[in-house]
Amino acid sequence: MPIAYIRALTSHARSPRANRHLGCALAFVAGAINAGGFLAVRQYTSHMTGIVSAAADRLALGAGGLALDALGALLCFLLGAACTAVMVHHARRHALASEYALPLLLEAALLLVFGMLGARLAAIDFVPAAVMLLCFMMGLQNALVTKLSQAEIRTTHMTGIVTDLGIELGKLAYWHRGALRPTVAADRARLRLLALLLLCFFAGGVGGALGFAHAGYLATVPLALFLCGLAIVPALDDLHVLARRAR
């Protein structure tokens, strides 16, 4: 891919095209991590609805330890989102080109950690460290896409996307009779984007599940390299600027 295109994906100056392309790429990654991670730790980690419900169920049933595990996963997702906010605003304060690239590079590094140490992390009974790590990564990514797209795009969970997709399909199917005002019209561009995000998440899920089934935890390595490829150019730009200033 041309360097200019890769740079534009995570640059400070956002465009609808860059948001769409990056959103679809990260939806694929999130789907792969969520599905592959489920095979590894027997728990989905890309969305918090089920985890909050699990915490409530376990608490009501008197399983306090398991409820704490679920709340710990929630806390890690929250911390991941907070970490993205800190990194993005720090980069903005220092006029770095990599304000959106840094969280992706951190996610890539954590994916490598999960891939190399995942089996050991999953074996820890007292603290489900593998689940915590995956939740942190998903919070990191979800906050990043939310910030750069002004909350227009989500990539780690599909509930909102499927809801919006249904709304747009309803508008598309609405039958106008007479001169009814105001008219009801579907946003076809948004409809295409929502469908593509859903498709990318699903395709990533299939790829992640197959990858984990055949390669185990090492299936995360290609995903980490893919994230690095998306984010490395702005980071190298910043290193080049810092090197020039140091001369």
Side-chain angles (χ1 to χ4, degrees):
M1 291 184 290
I3 297 298
Y5 172 77
I6 300 175
R7 181 181 287 113
L9 287 177
T10 54
S11 69
H12 172 75
R14 306 306 305 160
S15 70
R17 178 173 180 262
N19 287 347
R20 288 195 306 270
H21 290 192
L22 184 62
C24 288
L26 294 183
F28 179 89
V29 171
I33 293 174
N34 198 40
F38 178 81
L39 295 182
V41 299
R42 300 300 172 187
Q43 182 172 322
Y44 292 117
T45 56
S46 70
H47 54 282
M48 292 295 103
T49 305
I51 288 177
V52 173
S53 296
D57 288 341
R58 292 165 180 174
L59 188 61
L61 294 173
L66 294 177
L68 287 176
D69 287 346
L71 291 175
L74 174 65
L75 178 61
C76 286
F77 191 98
L78 182 68
L79 290 175
C83 183
T84 285
V86 170
M87 296 178 77
V88 168
H89 288 289
H90 175 79
R92 284 179 182 173
R93 180 177 292 272
H94 293 84
L96 299 178
S98 56
E99 64 177 273
Y100 295 130
L102 291 176
L104 291 183
L105 291 175
L106 176 57
E107 183 181 354
L110 294 176
L111 263 178
L112 287 176
V113 170
F114 179 75
M116 299 300 178
L117 302 178
R120 294 183 180 181
L121 291 174
I124 299 175
D125 293 328
F126 181 67
V127 178
V131 174
M132 306 297 180
L133 182 58
L134 290 172
C135 287
F136 184 90
M137 286 189 286
M138 290 295 91
L140 195 77
Q141 179 177 311
N142 198 45
L144 171 66
V145 177
T146 299
K147 287 189 71 65
L148 65 82
S149 71
Q150 302 299 312
E152 180 184 2
I153 295 175
R154 294 287 198 275
T155 62
T156 64
H157 54 279
M158 294 293 106
T159 303
I161 286 177
V162 174
T163 301
D164 291 344
L165 187 61
I167 290 172
E168 295 301 331
L169 286 173
K171 292 179 181 178
L172 187 66
Y174 190 80
W175 180 36
H176 290 280
R177 302 183 66 179
L180 181 66
R181 294 292 185 273
T183 59
V184 177
D187 186 338
R188 293 175 183 269
R190 180 161 176 75
L191 185 61
R192 287 191 295 270
L193 174 61
L194 293 169
L196 192 55
L197 288 169
L198 181 60
L199 179 62
C200 287
F201 188 91
F202 178 78
V206 173
L210 289 174
F212 186 84
H214 289 86
Y217 288 95
L218 292 179
T220 61
V221 174
L223 293 174
L225 294 177
F226 179 60
L227 287 173
C228 283
L230 294 176
I232 194 65
V233 173
L236 292 177
D237 289 341
D238 284 336
L239 289 176
H240 181 66
V241 170
L242 291 174
R244 284 193 303 175
R245 290 175 180 174
R247 292 175 186 173

